[in-house]
Amino acid sequence: MAQENKQTLSTLISHNYLKSSLIPIFTVEVVLLVLYFSMNSFIASKSENIIVEETKNGVSITLSKQAQVINSQLKEIENIARVLQAEHQYLFKNFEFIPLPQIDKRPKFAKAKNGSFYKTSLGGSAVYYSSTTKIGERELKKAIITEAFDRGFKSIIENSKIISAIYINTFDNMNRIYPYIPDIYNTYGSRINIEDYNFYFLADAKNNPSRGPVWTEVYLDPAGQGYMLSCVIPVYRDNFLEGVTGLDVTVINFTKNILEFSLPWKSDTFMMTKDSEILAMNKETREILNIETNETNLLKANNDFGLKVQNEGTLELKLFNKNYLIVSRKIEATGWVLVSIMNKEELFKNINELKDITNKIGIFAILLMILFYFIFFMFLFKYSKRIASWISTPIVALAEKTKNIANIENKDSDISEISELLSNFFSMSKEIMTHRQELEKLVAERTDSLTKVMRNLNDSIKYASFIQKSILPQYELVYNIFKDYFIIWKPRDIVGGDIYFLEKVSEDEVIMFVIDCTGHGIPGAFVTLLVKGLLKQLLTAIKSGEVIHDSTSSMLHFFNGLMKEILKQDKSSSSISNVGFDGTLLYYNKATNIVKLSGANSLAFIFSKNIDGSENMMQFKGDRESIGYKKSRENFEFKEEIFKVSESLKIIY
């Protein structure tokens, strides 16, 4: 150590006296301040947790009651639908035996200019037949005798606050709807195919085999009543679907109830469909969710947000840098979700204000402590100088007398302790140098050994890459099949688990396989060799007829079963081999220009040109099932897509 960097004894004593005096006091003060602020934060955090739990419970109970009210209203509509179903099925069952009323008591009908057939008599229900329906005796009788439904329709509408319309649509494109629509032929237009609308086909035998009431999704009413949903129920004559009876509920009826529904805790409530479409919300909620007004479609919530609130319960979510507490309850009949959203900053406003006050008190205490320690330090500094001088003065005088031993070498000294210290230090230095030389030699030997090992390992991997490249299809084979193509194959670690194969099935048929095997580097390369062997077995199975030669689905199924069998990956096995691959299999018949695709947890892109020359891209998504692995299903049937090859068709996978 240089002489100028050494401390004097006086300075050393002074500094250590200050440390020993100040550090304990300062430590105690800091600990007390830390405890103060920690307790402050702990109490605030506890209070916030209590408020959150109380708010969750309160809002959950209130929302559950409101959801039950809405659900009971919808269930009541379902019960009405069942009553109407029984009445309408009775009429159609006895259709042949029901006489027509007297001519003067029958409603009047006419044919509109657009070809549709409609009821001209005012009052009761409006009746409409599409121009595509030929009006015969049976159609006219149906339009007349179903007037008997109007009394029930009228009673239901007058006694319900949420049902806006009741209708029956029949298989022959007849629509009877209450209340009356004067110009129904203009509202519906010349022709309409009732079976194309969800308020009809959702109730048919395919979609509703139980024949009970079904709720549609929200839709734009073709009769011009705005957004609504329908409770529809099928009307059968024996096993023939005569039609569908429906009760319309306009979205605005529920919107009014939700917007008028208020909760404490400064919360905003809104209702959302299963598809994250907002049925009802106020201006504040729209601002929270950052949703712009759209007058032509229902408002749509962010998909990520919609998925998170679909499940009934509570969650805490950050939206646009603000933290919110969200409580949701499902409405059983329709699957809608009633959601209440609360700004946590508003919930914790009083707590945060109290926390700010206590923090300010703590900061004031810190400032006082700094002032106190400044004064206290000045006092101790002067006192420590006095004590240091008193202790060091006689020692300094003694040091002046021993200056001649400052340059001690490795020889005897008049001071035995210093002589022994110098001798020991000299011996220790010599021993350290000896050990250092030995260590440097050992490190050099080990470095040389590791370098050789790494060189051998890299040589082995490079040679392995030659082996892996040798199993790739030759470019001449690819070129003979596909004149216009490109292949990008770049293993990340010299060798890898990503690879492609091309094999001929016959003179005009080829299969091409692009796969992503388990693992990277050497492990992945091993799996590609296994897949190459399995591919040869697949070709043998195709030739023997065990696998359909032009079915990519059958080929993937065979691959999956063979891989699980070889690696003993059945669920009852104790095999530790959990490997496999994802990939896309392409079959191409050059003679017929047919392409077939199947995918295992992978994608392909199909490009084609439109008539106007613009390019169209279609994404082919394979099945969410891998080849091999313990978790894959052995009997899984992969889907298969078929394309006709043209000059403009390009496939990338």
Side-chain angles (χ1 to χ4, degrees):
M1 184 183 293
Q3 184 65 32
E4 58 269 17
N5 293 330
K6 292 184 178 180
Q7 286 184 323
T8 64
L9 182 60
S10 176
T11 303
L12 185 63
I13 293 173
S14 175
H15 286 179
N16 281 278
Y17 179 79
L18 287 174
K19 288 180 182 178
S20 61
S21 300
L22 289 175
I23 289 177
I25 301 174
F26 184 75
T27 302
V28 171
E29 293 293 339
V30 170
V31 169
L32 289 175
L33 285 173
V34 170
L35 286 175
Y36 174 81
F37 285 106
S38 298
M39 287 298 295
N40 188 25
S41 298
F42 175 76
I43 292 171
S45 176
K46 276 292 183 183
S47 300
E48 289 177 358
N49 291 337
I50 292 171
I51 289 176
V52 168
E53 289 304 317
E54 289 181 351
T55 303
K56 284 181 181 179
N57 293 335
V59 174
S60 296
I61 293 171
T62 308
L63 272 188
S64 295
K65 290 180 180 178
Q66 182 66 14
Q68 289 173 4
V69 170
I70 296 173
N71 194 61
S72 63
Q73 291 175 328
L74 298 174
K75 288 293 184 183
E76 182 180 349
I77 294 174
E78 290 181 0
N79 292 333
I80 294 172
R82 290 188 178 93
V83 173
L84 292 176
Q85 180 191 42
E87 177 186 351
H88 297 175
Q89 288 187 159
Y90 179 82
L91 182 142
F92 285 110
K93 185 176 181 180
N94 298 281
F95 184 87
E96 307 297 337
F97 308 107
I98 298 175
L100 289 168
Q102 297 178 5
I103 295 176
D104 59 340
K105 294 183 179 180
R106 298 177 186 176
K108 301 296 187 292
F109 299 90
K111 194 171 186 179
K113 291 181 180 180
N114 61 12
S116 60
F117 187 77
Y118 71 102
K119 173 183 168 183
T120 60
S121 301
L122 301 178
S125 297
V127 177
Y128 166 90
Y129 264 110
S130 172
S131 62
T132 57
T133 301
K134 184 178 180 181
I135 307 301
E137 291 183 3
R138 183 176 182 85
E139 287 73 22
L140 184 60
K141 181 178 179 181
K142 184 192 295 186
I144 294 172
I145 67 174
T146 52
E147 287 283 310
F149 298 159
D150 287 2
R151 182 178 298 176
F153 289 174
K154 180 181 179 182
S155 175
I156 293 170
I157 293 292
E158 289 178 350
N159 289 282
S160 175
K161 294 182 179 180
I162 59 175
I163 300 175
S164 59
I166 306 176
Y167 57 84
I168 179 169
N169 294 313
T170 62
F171 71 95
D172 52 1
N173 294 325
M174 184 197 86
N175 169 260
R176 171 175 288 277
I177 183 168
Y178 186 92
Y180 185 80
I181 302 175
D183 56 347
I184 193 170
Y185 53 88
N186 286 328
T187 302
Y188 288 168
S190 170
R191 60 180 64 190
I192 187 171
N193 188 13
I194 295 294
E195 294 181 351
D196 290 341
Y197 288 88
N198 65 348
F199 50 71
Y200 190 92
F201 66 72
L202 285 177
D204 62 19
K206 177 182 177 181
N207 295 293
N208 185 18
S210 65
R211 300 185 181 182
V214 177
W215 286 95
T216 68
E217 295 294 335
V218 177
Y219 64 92
L220 191 62
D221 182 31
Q225 299 298 315
Y227 284 103
M228 59 174 55
L229 71 158
S230 297
C231 177
V232 295
I233 196 164
V235 176
Y236 282 89
R237 175 171 49 82
D238 296 327
N239 287 321
F240 177 73
L241 181 63
E242 282 283 351
V244 174
T245 297
L247 297 93
D248 282 344
V249 179
T250 55
V251 172
I252 192 65
N253 288 330
F254 277 108
T255 302
K256 289 179 180 178
N257 294 334
I258 297 302
L259 294 180
E260 293 171 359
F261 176 63
S262 61
L263 287 170
W265 308 287
K266 297 181 181 180
S267 62
D268 296 295
T269 304
F270 64 96
M271 189 154 64
M272 188 171 64
T273 68
K274 294 181 290 186
D275 298 325
S276 301
E277 291 179 324
I278 307 294
L279 295 177
M281 70 175 174
N282 55 27
K283 179 182 177 182
E284 289 76 14
T285 306
R286 186 180 295 117
E287 291 175 354
I288 291 172
L289 300 181
N290 195 26
I291 298 177
E292 297 181 359
T293 303
N294 189 333
E295 297 180 356
T296 58
N297 296 312
L298 288 175
L299 297 175
K300 187 83 171 181
N302 177 275
N303 285 335
D304 185 51
F305 174 81
L307 291 173
K308 287 180 179 178
V309 302
Q310 281 296 331
N311 295 324
E312 189 174 68
T314 59
L315 72 151
E316 297 180 26
L317 199 61
K318 190 168 187 176
L319 297 172
F320 307 105
N321 297 321
K322 290 186 178 180
N323 294 311
Y324 292 91
L325 177 65
I326 300 171
V327 180
S328 58
R329 287 291 178 272
K330 274 201 174 181
I331 297 172
E332 181 184 347
T334 58
W336 296 344
V337 182
L338 194 60
V339 184
S340 183
I341 184 168
M342 291 147 282
N343 190 333
K344 293 180 71 176
E345 186 176 335
E346 291 294 330
L347 285 177
F348 304 148
K349 185 176 181 180
N350 293 334
I351 293 175
N352 289 333
E353 288 177 354
L354 181 60
K355 186 178 179 181
D356 288 341
I357 292 172
T358 54
N359 284 341
K360 289 176 181 178
I361 293 172
I363 292 171
F364 181 71
I366 291 173
L367 294 175
L368 285 178
M369 187 182 72
I370 292 172
L371 179 60
F372 166 77
Y373 273 103
F374 177 76
I375 297 171
F376 187 59
F377 173 79
M378 295 304 296
F379 168 76
L380 284 180
F381 181 75
K382 290 183 178 181
Y383 190 69
S384 65
K385 287 290 185 181
R386 189 184 306 166
I387 293 176
S389 177
W390 176 64
I391 296 174
S392 64
T393 298
I395 298 176
V396 169
L398 180 62
E400 288 294 329
K401 297 179 180 180
T402 58
K403 279 185 177 180
N404 292 331
I405 61 172
N407 298 319
I408 296 177
E409 297 179 358
N410 186 24
K411 58 183 180 179
D412 289 338
S413 172
D414 294 335
I415 303 174
S416 61
E417 288 83 358
I418 294 177
S419 177
E420 185 179 357
L421 178 62
L422 289 173
S423 177
N424 291 340
F425 181 78
F426 182 79
S427 299
M428 182 179 65
S429 299
K430 188 175 180 181
E431 186 176 353
I432 288 173
M433 288 301 297
T434 303
H435 286 309
R436 178 182 175 181
Q437 292 171 356
E438 292 176 353
L439 285 174
E440 287 177 348
K441 182 180 179 182
L442 182 60
V443 168
E445 291 175 353
R446 294 293 173 85
T447 302
D448 184 60
S449 177
L450 287 174
T451 301
K452 291 179 180 178
V453 170
M454 287 300 297
R455 188 183 301 115
N456 292 336
L457 181 59
N458 284 331
D459 290 344
S460 298
I461 294 175
K462 288 179 181 177
Y463 191 79
S465 73
F466 297 148
I467 298 174
Q468 189 174 42
K469 288 177 182 177
S470 69
I471 66 173
L472 294 174
Q474 295 182 350
Y475 288 114
E476 291 79 5
L477 174 61
V478 181
Y479 181 77
N480 289 336
I481 303 299
F482 307 108
K483 301 299 182 184
D484 184 11
Y485 74 94
F486 71 89
I487 297 173
I488 300 174
W489 183 71
K490 293 183 177 180
R492 191 187 75 176
D493 301 315
I494 304 178
V495 295
D498 299 328
I499 201 164
Y500 65 96
F501 296 116
L502 179 71
E503 296 286 350
K504 271 194 171 187
V505 178
S506 67
E507 186 63 31
D508 294 321
E509 297 172 293
V510 294
I511 58 174
M512 189 166 185
F513 214 169
V514 177
I515 62 174
D516 177 9
C517 297
T518 303
H520 301 288
I522 296 175
F526 268 109
V527 181
T528 63
L529 294 176
L530 173 62
V531 173
K532 177 67 175 180
L534 296 182
L535 185 59
K536 291 300 182 182
Q537 292 194 41
L538 172 64
L539 294 174
T540 302
I542 290 174
K543 291 179 181 178
S544 66
E546 183 181 351
V547 176
I548 302 173
H549 76 283
D550 63 347
S551 171
T552 54
S553 172
S554 176
M555 295 178 194
L556 282 185
H557 181 270
F558 178 82
F559 242 111
N560 190 34
L562 191 59
M563 193 149 192
K564 292 177 75 67
E565 178 184 353
I566 289 175
L567 298 177
K568 299 180 177 63
Q569 290 177 339
D570 56 290
K571 292 182 178 178
S572 61
S573 172
S574 59
S575 171
I576 61 173
S577 172
N578 188 26
V579 299
F581 64 86
D582 301 330
T584 302
L585 180 62
L586 179 144
Y587 162 85
Y588 172 50
N589 190 316
K590 194 173 181 180
T592 62
N593 279 335
I594 292 296
V595 169
K596 296 183 179 181
L597 280 175
S598 290
N601 219 7
S602 61
L603 297 174
F605 298 92
I606 296 94
F607 294 86
S608 59
K609 285 189 177 179
N610 299 319
I611 298 176
D612 60 1
S614 62
E615 196 168 68
N616 182 46
M617 186 193 81
M618 181 180 71
Q619 186 183 75
F620 168 74
K621 294 184 178 180
D623 294 287
R624 294 176 66 88
E625 190 78 15
S626 297
I627 303 298
Y629 300 107
K630 291 182 179 180
K631 66 179 181 180
S632 66
R633 293 168 284 180
E634 187 171 354
N635 296 322
F636 184 80
E637 295 294 334
F638 292 88
K639 67 182 180 182
E640 184 175 276
E641 293 286 344
I642 303 175
F643 303 94
K644 185 72 174 178
V645 175
S646 64
E647 290 185 359
S648 64
L649 185 69
K650 299 177 182 178
I651 301 176
I652 300 177
Y653 70 106

